[in-house]
């Protein structure tokens, strides 16, 4: 216990020092995940599948706790973002959805609050069992790095396609005046111009601009501004099983592979890539965190949430380098939920899709870029060896790959990504990548067996020597 408290103190010393050194960057980075959070949260709140106030309060608490314990910009976001334009009733409004909400919004499953929250609890219970039994730790050892990189690359490309097809492309060029393609072009040009300025608070600047636009839209329409509305906890009874079926269970089964792969395994690996100077959270700790979040807040109608690789990439892209960023975001969410709650829906619905789409695109680019380190700097390529000249320690060396090995790893990664993009399903991409990996291993085994047989035949027959 004492060692754990010492670790937490050390983490929060880093949080405080980072925030003091670059407060605008941390605040800007905290807003980087809005492109994943806002579309889904608004959609589910409007149709009554979640309580907006409870979602803001509990996700804010989870943000604060996550920042304090992990010390990195680990997001609290809707479960695993995947592109969902064709299945949704309003493709112009929804850009990236997770499997549970996709089923609820599309009408394929019962969209009631009890079913949505029960699905989150099913996932939370399954992830908790996998965490405490060691199955998640085993999965990390069993899943090769090229497959993990392929999942990250596929998720990044899905975000990019979703931003273009569901947010930016449906817009007109000049109408409406505060949300059109021209504003998307301006946001994109500023994003490109400032990509070598890591301290420029891009997300913060465009978030403030977007809120000004949203307020202007509300004031010029029949919608109402947010007003003082103290949050009161309301118990929401989950509907685990209905009269004739168990829709929550089926929604959870579709969500579980996505949460396990992208929100636990991939996010742990990504944190090592983006923040190598900080201790990466273990898959077990991330899994327990995901489980506890979904086994607590959902009882009050809060949205099922998790930690996602896309959100981590987005917050890193816009300047976040410590847990201080999400602690700040959590405090903002908590106060908004406690003071305004459900009255924020009209304002959030007017958030410009042009500016939101570019933020989603930037997050996708940041996540997709991790594929670059597949053959240079990936975790499985570093090996420890005893230094004979200096007996005092161990030297880490980067294993050199042959051209054949490079091509094999690249092929496995692209096969994984292709499965995700073709079927819009991380589980399919994962299976495709693993089959490709096993095919290479089988080929190696057969090749070695042929060599052994040919060697033994040469020893038996002197004429073949």
């Amino acid at each position: 216990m004492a060692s754990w408290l010492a670790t937490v103190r050390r983490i929060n010393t880093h949080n405080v020092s980072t925030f003091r050194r670059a407060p605008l960057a941390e605040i800007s980075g905290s807003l980087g995940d809005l492109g994943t959070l806002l579309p889904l949260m608004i959609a589910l709140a409007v149709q009554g599948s979640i309580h907006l106030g409870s979602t803001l309060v509990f996700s804010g608490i989870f943000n604060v706790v996550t920042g304090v314990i992990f010390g990195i910009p680990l997001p609290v976001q809707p479960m695993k973002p995947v592109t969902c334009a064709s299945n949704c009733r309003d493709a112009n409004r929804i850009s990236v959805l997770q499997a549970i909400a996709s089923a609820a919004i599309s009408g394929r499953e019962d969209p009631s609050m009890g079913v949505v929250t029960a699905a989150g609890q099913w996932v939370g219970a399954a992830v908790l069992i996998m965490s405490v039994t060691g199955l998640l730790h085993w999965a990390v050892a069993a899943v090769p790095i090229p497959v993990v990189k392929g999942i990250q690359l596929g998720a990044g490309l899905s975000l990019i396609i979703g931003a273009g097809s569901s947010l930016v492309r449906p817009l007109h060029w000049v109408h409406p005046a505060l949300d059109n393609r021209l504003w998307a072009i301006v946001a994109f040009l500023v994003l490109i111009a400032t990509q070598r300025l890591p301290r420029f608070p891009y997300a913060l600047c465009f978030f403030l601009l977007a809120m000004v636009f949203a307020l202007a839209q509300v004031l010029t329409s029949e919608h109402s501004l947010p007003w003082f509305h103290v949050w009161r906890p309301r118990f929401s009874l989950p509907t685990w099983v209905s009269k004739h079926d168990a829709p929550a269970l089926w929604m959870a089964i579709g969500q579980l592979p996505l949460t396990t792969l992208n929100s636990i395994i991939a996010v742990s690996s990504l944190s090592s890539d983006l923040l190598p100077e900080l201790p990466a959270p273990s898959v077990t700790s991330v899994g327990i965190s995901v489980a506890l979040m979904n086994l607590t807040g959902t009882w009050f109608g809060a949205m099922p949430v998790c930690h996602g690789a896309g959100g981590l990439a987005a917050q890193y892209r816009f300047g976040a380098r410590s847990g201080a960023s999400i602690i700040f975001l959590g405090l903002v969410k908590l106060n908004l939920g406690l003071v305004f709650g459900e009255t924020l829906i009209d304002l959030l619905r007017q958030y410009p899709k042009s500016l939101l789409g570019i933020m989603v695109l930037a997050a996708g680019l940041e996540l997709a870029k991790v594929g670059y380190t597949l053959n240079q700097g990936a975790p499985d390529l570093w090996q420890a060896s005893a230094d004979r000249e200096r007996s005092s320690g161990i030297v880490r060396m980067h294993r050199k790959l042959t051209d054949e090995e490079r091509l094999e790893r690249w092929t496995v990664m692209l096969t994984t990504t292709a499965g995700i993009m073709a079927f819009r399903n991380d589980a399919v991409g994962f299976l495709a990548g693993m089959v490709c990996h096993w095919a290479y291993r089988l080929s190696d085994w057969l090749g070695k067996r042929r060599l052994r047989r040919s060697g033994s035949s040469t020893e038996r027959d002197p004429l073949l020597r």
Side-chain angles (χ1 to χ4, degrees):
M1 185 65 180
S3 62
W4 182 81
L5 291 176
T7 301
V8 171
R9 282 195 293 268
R10 185 170 62 253
I11 287 173
N12 287 280
T13 299
H14 169 72
N15 288 340
V16 172
S17 62
T18 303
F19 191 83
R20 287 178 175 175
R21 185 171 62 251
L24 288 181
E26 290 294 300
I27 293 173
S28 179
S30 71
L31 305 172
D33 195 32
L34 293 182
T36 301
L37 174 67
L38 288 182
L40 178 56
M41 184 176 68
I42 295 169
L44 292 179
V46 167
Q47 74 174 24
S49 295
I50 62 171
H51 288 311
L52 180 60
S54 296
T55 296
L56 289 172
V57 169
F58 280 98
S59 65
I61 294 173
F62 299 150
N63 273 129
V64 173
V65 174
T66 299
V68 169
I69 293 178
F70 293 109
I72 62 174
L74 195 63
V76 174
Q77 60 175 195
M79 288 183 175
K80 170 58 185 71
V82 293
T83 304
C84 178
S86 61
N87 290 334
C88 298
R89 294 172 180 172
D90 187 359
N92 296 340
R93 180 161 53 90
I94 309 302
S95 61
V96 285
L97 301 178
Q98 43 93 352
I100 291 176
S102 173
I105 294 173
S106 65
R108 289 176 292 154
E109 303 289 354
D110 181 3
S112 68
M113 186 178 300
V115 170
V116 172
T117 56
Q121 292 179 1
W122 279 118
V123 174
V127 171
L128 182 61
I129 294 173
M130 295 171 66
S131 300
V132 299
T133 58
L135 286 176
L136 284 178
H137 185 73
W138 172 85
V140 173
V143 178
I145 290 296
V147 174
V148 176
K149 296 284 187 183
I151 294 170
Q152 294 170 339
L153 177 59
L157 295 178
S158 295
L159 285 172
I160 294 170
I161 294 174
S165 62
S166 300
L167 287 173
V168 178
R169 189 171 65 184
L171 298 174
H172 298 290
W173 281 103
V174 295
H175 179 77
L178 300 181
D179 190 14
N180 52 54
R181 292 184 181 181
L182 292 180
W183 280 113
I185 292 174
V186 170
F188 178 75
L189 292 177
V190 175
L191 177 71
I192 297 300
T194 58
Q195 60 183 340
R196 290 187 177 272
L197 302 174
R199 290 184 178 273
F200 179 76
Y202 177 91
L204 177 60
C205 293
F206 276 89
F207 172 76
L208 295 176
L209 180 63
M211 293 310 297
V212 171
F213 287 177
L215 282 170
Q217 293 276 50
V218 171
L219 290 173
T220 57
S221 65
E222 297 180 354
H223 298 294
S224 58
L225 289 171
W227 66 88
F228 185 75
H229 180 79
V230 177
W231 176 73
R232 295 181 179 84
R234 289 183 291 174
F235 181 77
S236 177
L237 182 64
T239 307
W240 294 295
V241 180
S242 62
K243 294 181 180 180
H244 305 291
D245 198 1
L249 179 59
W250 291 111
M251 292 160 72
I253 291 173
Q255 177 67 50
L256 185 60
L258 313 182
T259 296
T260 303
L261 296 172
N262 185 273
S263 302
I264 299 176
I265 296 176
V267 78
S268 178
S269 174
L270 182 64
S271 65
S272 299
D273 291 336
L274 298 181
L275 300 163
E277 71 280 3
L278 298 176
S282 66
V283 291
T284 300
S285 62
V286 175
I288 292 175
S289 176
V290 170
L292 294 180
M293 288 191 299
N294 288 286
L295 292 174
T296 53
T298 51
W299 289 100
F300 300 92
M303 179 175 59
V305 292
C306 67
H307 306 301
L312 175 58
Q315 292 175 163
Y316 179 88
R317 169 62 182 83
F318 292 115
R321 295 295 183 273
S322 74
S325 60
I326 55 173
I327 292 174
F328 171 83
L329 177 63
L331 293 175
V332 172
K333 284 183 183 179
L334 182 59
N335 283 282
L336 288 175
L338 290 173
V339 176
F340 297 107
E342 312 295 326
T343 67
L344 288 165
I345 290 180
D346 284 343
L347 178 63
L348 294 178
R349 290 178 69 178
Q350 300 302 319
Y351 196 100
K353 292 183 284 293
S354 55
L355 305 184
L356 192 63
I358 301 305
M359 292 184 68
V360 175
L361 183 145
L365 288 174
E366 191 67 33
L367 184 55
K369 284 193 301 185
V370 300
Y372 174 76
T373 63
L374 174 66
N375 292 326
Q376 184 66 37
D380 62 333
L381 298 181
W382 290 98
Q383 54 191 10
S385 62
D387 188 358
R388 295 179 181 178
E389 297 179 359
R390 294 177 299 172
S391 59
S392 58
I394 295 178
V395 177
R396 294 179 72 241
M397 301 178 61
H398 192 278
R399 184 168 66 88
K400 294 183 179 180
L401 298 173
T402 64
D403 290 341
E404 184 178 356
E405 287 176 319
R406 291 176 180 272
L407 179 60
E408 175 189 322
R409 289 166 65 88
W410 189 256
T411 302
V412 172
M413 182 182 73
L414 290 184
T415 300
T416 305
T417 302
I420 294 173
M421 301 304 297
F423 294 92
R424 299 292 191 269
N425 191 313
D426 278 28
V428 173
F430 168 75
L431 291 176
M434 291 302 295
V435 169
C436 184
H437 171 75
W438 289 330
Y440 275 114
R441 298 287 73 77
L442 178 61
S443 177
D444 291 342
W445 180 77
L446 292 175
K448 292 178 181 178
R449 188 175 182 182
R450 283 196 298 267
L451 287 175
R452 287 197 299 268
R453 285 184 174 180
S454 62
S456 60
S457 299
T458 302
E459 292 178 358
R460 287 195 302 268
D461 192 345
L463 297 177
L464 296 178
R465 292 179 181 177

